[in-house]
């Protein structure tokens, strides 16, 4: 199959080298508004380039992978859907609920699949937690803890357009909690703090945050996020039940002495290398008609609604039900 990749930045470069190495992908065509960036990346991974979306379509692609900034996702997903092309889109589908619903409506109307890039669904440790919960080996699960701790803050310009720590960062935790438990979130209480650079507060954001989720069966989940985890990149998830506990990500690279014996992960690219490959292997199978959609757009909407509720809860200092932000 021939895949069109839109966006040759940080995550686009990672996806390009993965796609170029996958056996079902017989051709890769890269486009970016920065044509030089697309050309350099294409040369590196042995791909073709297209100067525009029209050229990308004319190049005869069977599906597209969208890895442009979040603000462009809705329009690009809609464009691909109207062209009848299956889409893999980086998270989130849009920065807001209305934009996400609009993109989902476009793919539904076109009858094409949309897979969203919540790669933790393909992380071996997180899948093992999901399987243990589903198989009953943890007994009744009372508590889930999920953490996304970045070693250093992103640049101020990124924070300005990121949508805030819950939509940009903890949204991965919200999706992971739903994924491992198979339950829906009904209520969120959240708070945040700023003890780092001033630009977080200047953009109405926080550098560190905690969200407590109540799930529809009464299970509690706690999600923590910080932009200042000096020890290193740390993403972990734990589930604690009446019959056992299981942790994902507590390996030799977790920056937690004395458990850590190896170097900490530098960032998401290292920590989730295998998961990024697995999600695109799954997408190729989906495009070929031989595999399930491992993260449909509806799951991205559900995670975004939790982020919306968390943001509102932090701002207003009160618990927020998902039904309120979904209305
Ligand atoms: N799943 C993950 O773990 C993960 C990690 C990082 C980023 N992301 C997501 O991936 C997306 C991209 O993030 P990034 O850090 O790679 O950004 P980036 O800024 O490094 O790259 C984006 C690229 O898109 C290009 N671009 C912008 N508008 C375009 C358009 N209309 N058409 C074609 N090209 C266009 C830019 O020139 C740039 O090269 C974001 O939505 C982000 O949330 C996900």
């Amino acid at each position: 199959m021939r895949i069109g990749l839109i966006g040759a930045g940080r995550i686009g470069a990672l996806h390009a080298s993965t796609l170029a190495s996958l056996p079902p992908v017989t051709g890769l065509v890269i486009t970016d508004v920065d044509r030089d960036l697309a050309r350099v990346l294409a040369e590196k991974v042995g791909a073709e380039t297209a100067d525009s979306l029209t050229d990308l379509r004319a190049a005869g692609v069977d599906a597209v992978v969208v890895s442009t900034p979040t603000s462009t996702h809705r329009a690009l997903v809609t464009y691909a859907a109207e062209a009848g092309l299956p889409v893999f889109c980086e998270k989130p589908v849009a920065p807001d609920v209305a934009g996400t619903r609009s993109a989902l409506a476009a793919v539904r109307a076109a009858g094409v699949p949309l897979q969203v890039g919540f790669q933790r669904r393909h992380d071996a440790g997180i899948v093992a937690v999901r399987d243990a919960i589903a198989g009953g080996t943890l007994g009744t699960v009372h508590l889930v803890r999920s953490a996304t701790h970045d070693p250093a803050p992103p640049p101020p310009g990124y924070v300005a357009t990121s949508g805030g720590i819950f939509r940009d960062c903890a949204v991965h935790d919200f999706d992971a909690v739903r994924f491992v438990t198979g339950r829906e979130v009904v209520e969120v209480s959240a708070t945040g703090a700023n003890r780092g650079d001033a630009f977080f507060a200047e953009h109405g954001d926080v550098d560190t945050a905690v969200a407590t989720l109540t799930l529809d069966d009464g299970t509690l989940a706690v999600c923590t996020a910080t932009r200042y985890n000096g020890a290193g990149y740390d993403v972990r998830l734990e589930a604690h039940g009446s019959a056992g506990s299981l942790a994902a990500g507590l390996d030799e690279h977790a920056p937690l002495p004395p458990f850590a014996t190896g170097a900490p992960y530098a960032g998401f690219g290292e920590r989730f290398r295998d998961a990024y490959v697995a999600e695109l292997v799954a997408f190729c199978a989906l495009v070929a008609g031989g595999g399930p959609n491992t993260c449909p757009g509806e799951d991205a909407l559900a995670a975004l609604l939790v982020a919306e509720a968390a943001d509102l809860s932090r701002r207003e200092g009160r618990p927020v039900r998902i039904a309120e932000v979904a209305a």
Side-chain angles (χ1 to χ4, degrees):
M1 69 184 68
R2 286 171 65 73
I3 303 280
L5 175 72
I6 311 175
R10 274 190 321 166
I11 197 89
L14 210 145
H15 289 331
S17 56
T18 299
L19 288 164
S21 72
L22 296 183
V25 179
T26 52
L28 177 63
V29 189
I30 301 175
T31 189
D32 193 294
V33 287
D34 183 338
R35 292 181 183 177
D36 286 339
L37 201 64
R39 187 181 44 75
V40 170
L41 180 60
E43 279 169 12
K44 190 174 160 207
V45 302
E48 303 157 44
T49 56
D51 285 345
S52 65
L53 290 179
T54 312
D55 289 353
L56 191 75
R57 275 185 74 180
V61 295
D62 301 298
V64 298
V65 170
V66 176
S67 49
T68 52
T70 300
S71 58
T72 64
H73 291 180
R74 186 197 58 75
L76 292 171
V77 167
T78 303
Y79 179 87
E82 287 172 354
L85 299 171
V87 196
F88 175 96
C89 182
E90 260 313 327
K91 52 58 65 175
V93 175
D96 59 357
V97 173
T100 305
R101 285 189 169 134
S102 158
L104 265 53
V107 295
R108 253 196 318 272
V112 299
L114 164 66
Q115 183 185 326
V116 183
F118 281 113
Q119 82 281 359
R120 292 186 196 182
R121 290 172 174 242
H122 292 273
D123 176 74
I126 289 174
V127 170
V129 174
R130 196 252 339 238
D131 291 348
I133 292 175
T137 51
L138 302 188
T140 301
V141 173
H142 293 276
L143 189 62
V144 179
R145 287 154 41 112
S146 184
T148 301
H149 299 172
D150 284 337
Y158 181 90
V159 170
T161 59
S162 69
I165 198 165
F166 293 120
R167 292 184 190 85
D168 179 58
C169 187
V171 71
H172 280 289
D173 301 278
F174 302 151
D175 180 64
V177 168
R178 291 184 67 251
F179 175 69
V180 298
T181 61
R183 310 302 312 191
E184 292 300 335
V185 179
V186 292
E187 189 176 270
V188 184
S189 286
T191 188
N194 275 318
R195 301 180 67 223
D197 290 294
F199 61 77
F200 285 99
E202 284 162 12
H203 293 300
D205 199 1
V206 289
D207 60 47
T208 300
V210 178
T212 306
L213 318 182
T214 303
L215 310 189
D216 58 5
D217 64 348
T219 305
L220 292 179
V222 181
C223 300
T224 59
T226 180
R227 305 288 198 183
Y228 287 98
N229 200 56
Y233 186 74
D234 193 5
V235 169
R236 280 176 289 125
L237 183 143
E238 298 168 7
H240 302 276
S242 56
S245 295
L246 206 54
L250 194 56
D251 61 22
E252 71 273 23
H253 302 291
L256 285 174
F259 305 105
T261 52
Y265 294 111
F268 55 80
E270 276 187 17
R271 168 69 176 81
F272 290 110
R273 182 176 291 133
D274 294 345
Y276 288 125
V277 173
E279 68 178 356
L280 289 177
V281 168
F283 181 60
C284 288
L286 178 66
V287 174
N293 188 342
T294 56
C295 190
E298 287 72 17
D299 282 309
L301 175 61
L304 179 66
L305 287 171
V306 181
E308 295 280 329
D311 197 45
L312 189 60
S313 172
R314 174 184 75 80
R315 288 173 191 279
E316 298 193 352
R318 64 178 176 91
V320 174
R321 295 190 71 79
I322 296 301
E324 179 182 338
V325 289

